[in-house]
Amino acid sequence: DLFAALITEQKIVLVSSQHSILTICSEILCSLLFPMRWSHLYIPFLPKMLCPMLDAPVPYICGVVRENWGHAQEYLASD
């Protein structure tokens, strides 16, 4: 459940073929927390060269464009 992952501060990766959808969905997730706020790593659109950040040991919300998804999966930890 996406909302449960958000509330329990889990790692969340959004994948879309459209850059604008990633940003909109990331912002919507953050707004669902109101009156609280997301205080962890937040990158609505993660460039390919920053995909190693997906291996970070902290909670995050990151958006990955579909063309970079294969590259990004290499860095996802098996948490």
Side-chain angles (χ1 to χ4, degrees), residues 21-69:
I21 297 294
L22 290 173
T23 303
I24 291 169
C25 289
S26 298
E27 286 296 316
I28 288 171
L29 286 178
C30 288
S31 70
L32 286 174
L33 287 172
F34 184 81
M36 300 174 288
R37 57 184 302 208
W38 186 258
S39 61
H40 303 289
L41 184 61
Y42 174 72
I43 307 174
F45 175 70
L46 186 71
K48 184 176 183 177
M49 67 181 201
L50 293 179
C51 283
M53 295 202 61
L54 294 174
D55 196 27
V58 297
Y60 55 70
I61 297 174
C62 291
V64 177
V65 71
R66 185 162 306 278
E67 64 192 42
N68 295 338
W69 177 237

Side-chain angles (χ1 to χ4, degrees), residues 1-10 12 29 32-33 38:
D1 181 45
L2 185 58
F3 186 69
L6 191 63
I7 293 296
T8 58
E9 299 178 329
Q10 301 295 312
I12 299 172
L29 286 178
L32 286 174
L33 287 172
W38 186 258

